[in-house]
Amino acid sequence: MEGDFAWVESERTSVCGGCAARKGCGTSAIARVLGQRRIRLRVVNRINARVGETVVVGISESGLVRGSLAVYAVPLAGLFTGALAGHFAGSYLLANGSDLLAVAGALTGFILALLWLKRFGQTTEKDDAYQPVVLRQHIMTGGN
C-alpha cells in the first residue's frame, strides 16, 4: 500500500485453453511461450482493499483506446511517414531516387515515434484516465 495506491499481483492467463483451434492459433502459441508469469501492477485503491484480498481491476475505456492507439498506431505512422519522406527526398535530390533514403527515413520516423511514445507515457503516468483502478472485491465461488 502506498497512500491511495496498492500493488496487485495478477497471473497472466489465456482463454485459449477451451478453444478447438488452439493448436493452430498464434495467440495460444504465444501464451505457451510466455507461460503464466505473474504481473505486478500499481493501481488506484479507492475501496481500501487489504493485502491478501482478491480484487477486480479495471481501466477507463477512453484511456484504453487512446493508449492502444498511441502504442500501436504512432510507431507505424512514424515508420510510414518517415519512409515516404525519405522516398520523396531521394526522388528530389537524386535523379534515380534512392531506396536507402527511404529506409533511413523509415528508421528515423520510427525512432522519433518511439521517443514521442516515451514522453507520452511519462505525461500519462499520473493522468487518471490511464490509471488502473480497483473496482471491487472479487467473491470466490465454487467454480472460480
Side-chain angles (χ1 to χ4, degrees):
M1 303 288 284
E2 295 177 2
D4 292 338
F5 295 92
W7 287 95
V8 296
E9 193 170 272
S10 172
E11 189 172 306
R12 184 183 306 181
T13 60
S14 173
V15 295
C16 298
C19 177
R22 71 178 168 259
K23 291 182 181 175
C25 174
T27 302
S28 179
I30 291 171
R32 282 194 305 273
V33 169
L34 294 177
Q36 293 187 353
R37 294 182 285 163
R38 295 192 178 273
I39 301 168
R40 285 181 47 103
L41 185 63
R42 184 176 176 252
V43 300
V44 177
N45 183 15
R46 293 186 184 127
I47 68 164
N48 296 319
R50 294 184 300 273
V51 174
E53 291 181 333
T54 303
V55 295
V56 176
V57 176
I59 189 168
S60 75
E61 186 176 341
S62 64
L64 181 63
V65 170
R66 288 184 296 186
S68 297
L69 280 173
V71 169
Y72 292 108
V74 171
L76 281 174
L79 182 78
F80 289 124
T81 302
L84 285 172
H87 170 76
F88 289 125
S91 298
Y92 179 75
L93 296 174
L94 306 171
N96 296 335
S98 171
D99 289 342
L100 186 59
L101 286 177
V103 170
L107 288 174
T108 302
F110 185 69
I111 290 169
L112 289 174
L114 291 180
L115 291 172
W116 177 88
L117 193 57
K118 181 178 180 180
R119 183 164 162 74
F120 175 79
Q122 292 169 343
T123 58
T124 59
E125 190 173 34
K126 301 206 184 334
D127 187 344
D128 286 345
Y130 296 94
Q131 298 300 313
V133 177
V134 176
L135 299 174
R136 65 183 180 278
Q137 287 182 290
H138 179 68
I139 309 300
M140 302 295 276
T141 61
N144 289 341

